[in-house]
Amino acid sequence: MIWVRVLSDTAMSAYALSLTLLFSDVVEPRRRINRAAVVLLFVAFVAMTALLFERFARLPVFPAYSKSDLLLFIAWFMLAITLVLDTFFQIGLVVFFANVVGFGLTLFAGGEQSRHPFPWFPHGDLLFVHIVMATMSEIAFAFGFVFALMHVVQDRNLRRHRFNRWFLQLPSLAALDRWALFSSALGFFLLFVAMAIGEEWAQVVLHHWILGSLKTVVTLLTWAMYAVYLIQRVRRQGTGRGLMAYQMICFVATVVNLVAVADPAQFPVRP
């Protein structure tokens, strides 16, 4: 059972990181980033292939497959097709959008598997995966805040012609801008995964959805704020200073949500 969880976590993590790199490549095409994204897609493909083989080997008879197995197979097939397309035609936009859909199907597959008589892994592991994904998203947002702050300082040095030690030691504005974008996009995808898994855990263990809880509402608002930032980056609207300042505000909202809002995981479990 531990291998199933490792395969599932590896596939989801590689998938999320690959989508982040593909998103950065769509905003600002760079061959190195694109190649790294494709390598991670291949890692996700290998892990998902092993997961499918292990899953089908455990089924008593083939017709006993569930909705989760079907969703996982569709996502796997989309991943295989996009890898072939990128190898021969190198169409990054198609690969990105197709795998956004595939990633969503994989999330739904993970949720549906808990309702099957032969689940992939115990229900209690959903909370562990949720906490890991949420923590990783907060770490990514924290790095994004650091890069945004450095960008603001470096931009101020340039505008005031302060070519001092700080200016020489800080990275360029272009590099800081790329790093801030990557960190925010990574946190955005990981937070989406964490929210989806958290809702599924609440339904399985608490026996009710937690969409109406204050923690979930504030988390959704924070996620939407980062979505606005990423949309602005894609459209190349706004100034660098304005976008960096907005990103810093988003992280402040993340911290407030982290330290001041009650966690639904602490709710009593209904019988």
Side-chain angles (χ1 to χ4, degrees), residues 5-6 9 29 40 44 127 164 168 181 197 208 224 231 246 259:
R5 189 175 70 182
V6 170
D9 292 349
L40 286 170
L127 181 60
N164 51 21
L168 296 175
L181 171 63
I197 295 176
H208 64 93
I231 291 172
Y246 178 76
V259 302

Side-chain angles (χ1 to χ4, degrees), residues 9 19 21 30 54 60 67 82-83 94 96 99-100 128 138 155-156 165 168 177 203 226 228 258 263:
D9 292 349
L19 286 176
L21 292 174
R30 295 186 301 277
E54 200 281 339
K67 292 181 180 179
T82 52
L83 281 172
V94 175
F96 173 71
N99 280 290
V100 168
F128 172 77
E138 290 154 1
D155 182 76
R156 187 176 181 180
R165 181 171 60 89
L168 296 175
D177 186 69
Q203 178 64 18
Y226 275 101
V228 171
L258 180 64
D263 191 347

Side-chain angles (χ1 to χ4, degrees), residues 119-133:
W120 303 350
F121 45 79
H123 299 157
D125 288 346
L126 290 174
L127 181 60
F128 172 77
V129 177
H130 163 74
I131 293 173
V132 170
M133 291 295 179

